[in-house]
Amino acid sequence: MTRHLLTGAELDRDELGALLDRADALKAEPLSSRALEGRSIALIFEMHSTRTRLSFEAGIFELGGQPVVLRRDELQLSRGESVADTARVLSRHMAAIGVRTGPDEMLDELAEFASVPVFNMLTARHHPCQALADLMTLREEFGRLAGLKLAYVGDGNNVARSLALLGAIAGVEVAIASPAEYTLTDAHGATLTTQPAEAVAGAHAVYADVWVSMGDEDSAVERRELLAPYRLDDALLDRAAPGAIALHCLPAHPGEEVTAAMLYGPRQRIWEQAENRRHAQKALLELLVRSEGRHADNV
Ligand code: CP
Ligand code: NVA
C-alpha cells in the first residue's frame, strides 16, 4: 500500500521508534544505505527553504537517488494544469513526491491522485519532517522520549502543531505557551497556556520558532508586539528542569524569538537539530519508498 506522510499521524509509536533508530544508524554511517539507488524523488517548493531543501537533496543523494527540485513557477501547475494531473504524471516518473506549500488542501489533493508516496515538507498547518528531527535530537540528548516534557513558547503555528501531534505519538508531554490571539487551535493532547513560565516548568527542552511564519507577514507588527514576552532566553530556560536544552527549527531572528546568547551558547542543540533533518528524513524516505505501490490506479 502506498504510504504518505502528510501530518505525521500516519505513524504509530513503534514505527516512529524504528524510524528514529534507523535515523541514528544513518547518522553513524551516512553512506551505508543505497535504498534509493536508481530512483528519483520530486521536491516541489512553492515557498522559500534553506534546511529542508539542503537536507532532502543531500540525503537523497547519499541514499543513491536523484533529487528533482521543482519550483512552482517552473511547472505547468503555475499555468493552470491541475494538481491531480500533476500528481498523475509525477507518479509515472518519481519514486516519491515532497511538497512545501501553503494550503494543506493542495498537499492532500496531490496525495489523493498520486500513486507514489507523498510527504509534507511544510504546509500552513504541519511540519512533520521538522518534528521527526526534533524528536531524534531529544532522544539523542536524553536517551529516551517517553516521559520527557517539551515546552514550546511562541506562535501556535505549523511547528507547534507537529510537535504536539508527533510528541503525543512518542509519549512526550508537550506544553505550549502562546498569546491568546495566536494559540494553537487543535491541541492534539498538548497542554495550552498563555504563561511561558507555566509551560517550561519541569521541561527537558524549551523550543522556539519564528514569530512571523511564511504567509503571516501581514500581521507581523501585531505578532511582534504580542509575542515579545515569549522570547527564549537564559532566564526562561532557568525555569525549566536542570540540564534542559534549547531547540529552534530555524531560521532564527536573534534578539527576537531567541537571544543570540542562547542561539550560539552551550545550552542549545539547535545546530545539531538542523543536521538531524537529513538523517531523520533519510529514514523516512526508506520507509516510504519501501511501501511504494506502482503506477496507475488513479487514471
Ligand atoms: N526549519 C526549516 O524547515 O527550515 P527551512 O525553511 O530553511 O527549510
Ligand atoms: N513556522 C515557520 C517554520 C519555518 C521553518 C514557517 O512556517 O515559516
Side-chain angles (χ1 to χ4, degrees), residues 1-4 117 288 290-293:
M1 194 184 82
T2 298
R3 295 197 63 177
H4 304 300
L288 293 180
R290 238 196 340 263
S291 75
E292 184 191 352

Side-chain angles (χ1 to χ4, degrees), residues 138 148-156 159-161 163-165 167-168 172-178 183-184 187-208 230 236:
L138 275 177
L148 293 183
K149 179 176 178 184
L150 170 66
Y152 173 97
V153 179
D155 182 26
V159 170
R161 183 175 287 101
L163 289 172
L165 198 157
V172 175
E173 177 189 347
V174 179
I176 299 176
S178 315
T183 194
L184 197 61
H188 295 286
T191 306
L192 305 184
T193 173
T194 56
Q195 305 300 316
E198 200 179 299
V200 306
H204 299 86
V206 181
Y207 196 119
Y230 296 80
L236 186 64

Side-chain angles (χ1 to χ4, degrees), residues 12-62:
D12 63 27
R13 188 173 299 186
D14 288 347
E15 281 176 320
L16 179 56
L19 187 155
L20 296 178
D21 287 345
R22 193 66 199 132
D24 289 344
L26 288 164
K27 184 171 185 175
E29 288 188 76
L31 301 182
S32 58
S33 169
R34 304 295 289 170
L36 296 183
E37 182 97 60
R39 316 303 302 276
S40 296
I41 308 287
L43 303 173
I44 300 176
F45 285 97
E46 299 199 322
M47 300 163 97
H48 292 84
S49 171
T50 297
R51 277 143 292 273
T52 304
R53 178 170 174 179
L54 285 171
S55 54
F56 268 111
E57 280 209 64
I60 291 163
F61 184 69
E62 287 179 2

Side-chain angles (χ1 to χ4, degrees), residues 47-52 100-101 121-127 130 152 155 157-160 207 209-217 248-251 277:
M47 300 163 97
H48 292 84
S49 171
T50 297
R51 277 143 292 273
T52 304
R100 171 168 286 203
T101 187
M121 301 197 295
L122 182 149
T123 53
R125 289 176 58 79
H126 296 278
H127 198 2
Q130 180 66 53
Y152 173 97
D155 182 26
N157 61 18
N158 46 7
V159 170
Y207 196 119
D209 183 15
V210 296
W211 288 344
V212 184
S213 283
M214 292 180 279
D216 289 338
E217 290 79 6
H248 191 310
C249 58
L250 301 173
R277 292 290 305 275

Side-chain angles (χ1 to χ4, degrees), residues 73-143:
D73 61 349
E74 296 167 341
L75 288 165
Q76 296 287 7
L77 193 58
S78 66
R79 297 184 60 252
E81 187 168 21
S82 69
V83 171
D85 284 357
T86 303
R88 290 182 175 106
V89 173
L90 283 167
S91 300
R92 296 283 174 151
H93 299 285
M94 300 287 125
I97 306 164
V99 186
R100 171 168 286 203
T101 187
D104 285 74
E105 294 73 18
M106 186 271 194
L107 180 81
D108 294 343
E109 191 179 351
L110 202 90
E112 182 184 346
F113 291 97
S115 56
V116 297
V118 172
F119 52 94
N120 184 341
M121 301 197 295
L122 182 149
T123 53
R125 289 176 58 79
H126 296 278
H127 198 2
C129 290
Q130 180 66 53
L132 292 177
D134 302 340
L135 292 174
M136 177 181 178
T137 309
L138 275 177
R139 209 176 70 151
E140 228 169 27
E141 182 69 20
F142 298 104

